[in-house]
Structure formats: structure tokens, C-alpha cells
């Protein structure tokens, strides 16, 4: 008799706080991008503001 369907597997790898995040180029807040991200890193707030600006231009 197998009971594999009644037990929860607890073999999840513990997260160590995530990778070191890059700073926002505008306000230097931590972003959701890893430090090794190539390109402009924006925090969610600045990213949203940039989206608003580009949406209004033109
Ligand atoms: Zn920012």
C-alpha cells in the first residue's frame, strides 16, 4: 500500500533571501533586477512613472 498521494513533499529548497538586487538608477532603491542585470534598472515605482511618461508622449 502506497500513501504518496496523502503526504506533502517538503523538499523545497530554502530561499536565501534572493540574489543581490541592483539599485534603481533614479532613486537608488533596490529593484527587482539582479545585480548582474545588463541595462537600466528601475524600481517598480520609477518603472511605473517611466511608463506613464512614455505613454503620454507623442
Ligand atoms: Zn526608483
Amino acid at each position: 500500500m502506497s500513501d504518496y498521494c496523502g503526504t506533502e513533499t517538503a523538499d523545497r529548497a530554502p530561499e536565501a533571501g534572493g540574489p543581490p538586487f541592483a539599485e534603481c538608477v533614479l532613486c537608488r532603491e533596490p529593484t527587482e533586477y539582479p545585480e548582474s542585470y545588463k541595462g537600466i534598472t528601475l524600481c517598480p515605482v520609477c518603472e511605473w512613472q517611466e511608463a506613464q511618461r512614455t505613454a503620454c508622449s507623442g
Side-chain angles (χ1 to χ4, degrees), residues 4-54:
Y4 67 89
C5 60
T7 58
E8 285 190 35
T9 54
D11 56 350
R12 277 181 141 194
E15 292 192 31
F21 294 110
E23 287 184 342
C24 175
V25 296
L26 295 180
C27 67
R28 308 197 69 177
E29 287 287 318
T31 67
E32 295 176 337
Y33 299 96
E35 220 169 30
S36 58
Y37 182 82
K38 291 172 186 170
I40 298 174
T41 53
L42 294 173
C43 68
V45 176
C46 291
E47 204 167 54
W48 181 82
Q49 290 177 346
E50 285 294 306
Q52 296 298 304
R53 289 173 65 182
T54 54

